[in-house]
Amino acid sequence: MDVVKQLETYDAIRTVKAKYCRFLDSKDWQGLESIFTPDIVLDVSEDTGKPPFEGREAAIDCIRWSVTDAKSAHQIHFSEITLDGEDAADVITPMQDRVVWATGKCPVPGVASITGFGHYRERYVKQDGAWKIAHLQLTRLHVDVYPEPVAG
């Protein structure tokens, strides 16, 4: 692959990741669906304690369940991209997220908000001329947990 094609590929993959954050934070479920492969594997087992979610519908349901009642801001940093031919890539992207749930709506009882730091480890594939996320694993280095205020 020539250098220009490689740079165009890097840019296209980074744009998909930027859209992921925007779609997630704005709760644009159709947009999120558009950047996942139909058979995506979403591994957030570190956060949920559940096995990976398989398939686009299950992945989006999991994400929707975790942030529907929250305001969130996901920020990503410069990705490491390793191309695997012209139609696949392995990507590691540092991330930080801030999630603030409506009172009593956090999936973890007693928690009001979190600030997390970690990495997205992903597999991208090119399907029908567009880059899509085929596998997404969230690993965390640290999470600051803020409890709900005690009544009284």
Side-chain angles (χ1 to χ4, degrees), residues 1 14 18 29 44 52-53 59-60 65-67 76 82 90 102-103 105 107 119 122 128-129 136 144 149:
M1 179 182 299
R14 288 185 181 120
W29 310 125
V44 288
F53 295 87
I60 291 174
W65 171 81
S66 67
V67 298
I76 52 173
T82 304
D90 294 307
T103 303
K105 296 294 186 172
H119 296 94
E122 298 167 304
D128 299 322
L136 184 157
D144 291 322

Side-chain angles (χ1 to χ4, degrees), residues 29-43:
W29 310 125
Q30 287 182 325
L32 205 55
E33 180 179 310
S34 75
I35 61 169
F36 287 165
T37 62
D39 61 347
I40 184 174
V41 174
L42 174 70
D43 184 353

Side-chain angles (χ1 to χ4, degrees), residues 34-145:
S34 75
I35 61 169
F36 287 165
T37 62
D39 61 347
I40 184 174
V41 174
L42 174 70
D43 184 353
V44 288
S45 56
E46 198 173 284
D47 283 347
T48 65
K50 296 180 180 180
F53 295 87
E54 296 185 22
R56 189 165 41 209
E57 185 176 337
I60 291 174
D61 285 349
C62 170
I63 295 167
R64 184 184 292 128
W65 171 81
S66 67
V67 298
T68 289
D69 295 310
K71 294 186 185 288
S72 64
H74 288 74
Q75 297 187 356
I76 52 173
H77 308 286
F78 212 72
S79 300
E80 299 172 55
I81 300 172
T82 304
L83 297 177
D84 182 7
E86 293 190 10
D87 295 328
D90 294 307
V91 181
I92 301 172
T93 306
M95 60 77 66
Q96 177 180 346
D97 62 351
R98 177 80 173 121
V99 185
V100 180
W101 286 274
T103 303
K105 296 294 186 172
C106 177
V108 179
V111 174
S113 64
I114 63 164
T115 301
F117 307 86
H119 296 94
Y120 289 108
R121 297 172 188 279
E122 298 167 304
R123 177 79 170 171
Y124 285 70
V125 296
K126 197 170 192 182
Q127 293 184 340
D128 299 322
W131 285 97
K132 310 261 183 185
I133 301 170
H135 187 274
L136 184 157
Q137 178 186 30
L138 173 60
T139 58
R140 295 196 181 265
L141 300 170
H142 178 78
V143 179
D144 291 322
V145 178

